[in-house]
Amino acid sequence: MSAEPRINDRIRVPEVRLVGPNGEQVGIVPIAKALEIARESDLDLVEVAPTARPPVARLMDYGKFKYESAMKAREARKNQAHTVIKEIKLRPKIDPHDYETKKGHVVRFLKAGDKVKVTIMFRGREQSRPELGYRLLQRLADDVEDLGFVESRPKQDGRNMIMVIGPHKKKTARGQETEAGTA
């Protein structure tokens, strides 16, 4: 069954509760009379509530209605926030310079308004020392706290420890562009 409402001759009920083009109630009328009224006013008869007893039908320009609802849906999609999750992988025994490089990537992602999933991979005997990974994730979270906040706390997932950092709403580069555009 299609999601589109039935219109004009596709409405197969003996009578409908008719609503005029401006929202005024006309009353319960036979389908033939409702179709005649629609033809006279050069509008379509659209079934808006098929489950009601009797079904509710409205007089409207169906093409215009479809166009406007498509524009509303498009506008809603445009205003929707697109969340992108970037991933950074670290090891518990990371060199200070490598840490700074990875932290720079995290900072760049947060400034762009993306979430960052930080994964620490444990190998061999490192698995018996999860506190090293936890401390490293805490250090990273403290280093980037002015750009983002910890969305999900560090948690062990098999051989990996995972933490998600989300950007602060007002601190993103995209947010600054929209604020500058409105001022």
Side-chain angles (χ1 to χ4, degrees):
M1 190 167 165
S2 81
E4 301 230 344
R6 293 185 288 210
I7 60 170
N8 298 332
D9 295 328
R10 295 201 174 151
I11 301 173
R12 299 273 183 221
V13 290
E15 58 186 17
V16 292
R17 182 177 303 276
L18 188 61
V19 178
N22 299 323
E24 70 277 359
Q25 294 283 335
V26 177
I28 298 174
V29 296
I31 191 69
K33 181 152 175 42
L35 287 168
E36 185 181 315
I37 294 170
R39 276 191 217 97
E40 286 172 3
S41 57
D42 199 29
L43 294 171
D44 296 311
L45 184 67
V46 181
E47 191 176 46
V48 291
T51 56
R53 291 286 164 244
V56 179
R58 183 171 182 181
L59 294 171
M60 67 171 79
D61 183 351
Y62 186 64
K64 182 178 175 185
F65 169 74
K66 267 184 75 169
Y67 174 77
E68 287 173 352
S69 62
M71 287 298 111
K72 282 181 191 170
R74 185 173 160 202
E75 192 67 30
R77 276 195 309 274
K78 191 170 93 173
N79 292 335
Q80 210 171 36
H82 301 289
T83 57
V84 178
I85 297 181
K86 304 282 189 169
E87 185 172 13
I88 291 286
K89 293 190 176 188
L90 304 170
R91 297 283 312 280
K93 297 186 228 169
I94 189 169
D95 187 65
H97 181 265
D98 293 338
Y99 171 80
E100 291 300 320
T101 303
K102 297 285 187 171
K103 185 180 86 172
H105 293 312
V106 171
V107 166
R108 188 179 74 223
F109 295 149
L110 290 173
K111 281 184 178 176
D114 299 325
K115 291 183 181 182
V116 182
K117 176 180 173 184
V118 185
T119 304
I120 294 192
M121 302 173 295
F122 295 100
R123 282 201 189 134
R125 290 187 178 174
E126 292 172 350
Q127 291 179 47
S128 65
R129 303 282 308 274
E131 67 277 1
L132 292 176
Y134 185 79
R135 274 188 289 192
L136 185 61
L137 288 176
Q138 283 302 115
R139 179 176 152 205
L140 181 65
D142 292 341
D143 288 349
V144 297
E145 71 182 336
D146 58 325
L147 296 170
F149 64 98
V150 177
E151 244 178 51
S152 74
R153 310 269 349 132
K155 58 180 172 272
Q156 189 82 29
D157 182 28
R159 292 178 162 222
N160 301 326
M161 186 175 278
I162 298 169
M163 176 176 77
V164 178
I165 302 174
H168 290 307
K169 298 295 179 212
K170 295 180 179 73
K171 301 261 185 190
T172 63
R174 292 178 193 144
Q176 289 172 348
E177 290 170 9
T178 57
E179 289 172 15
T182 57

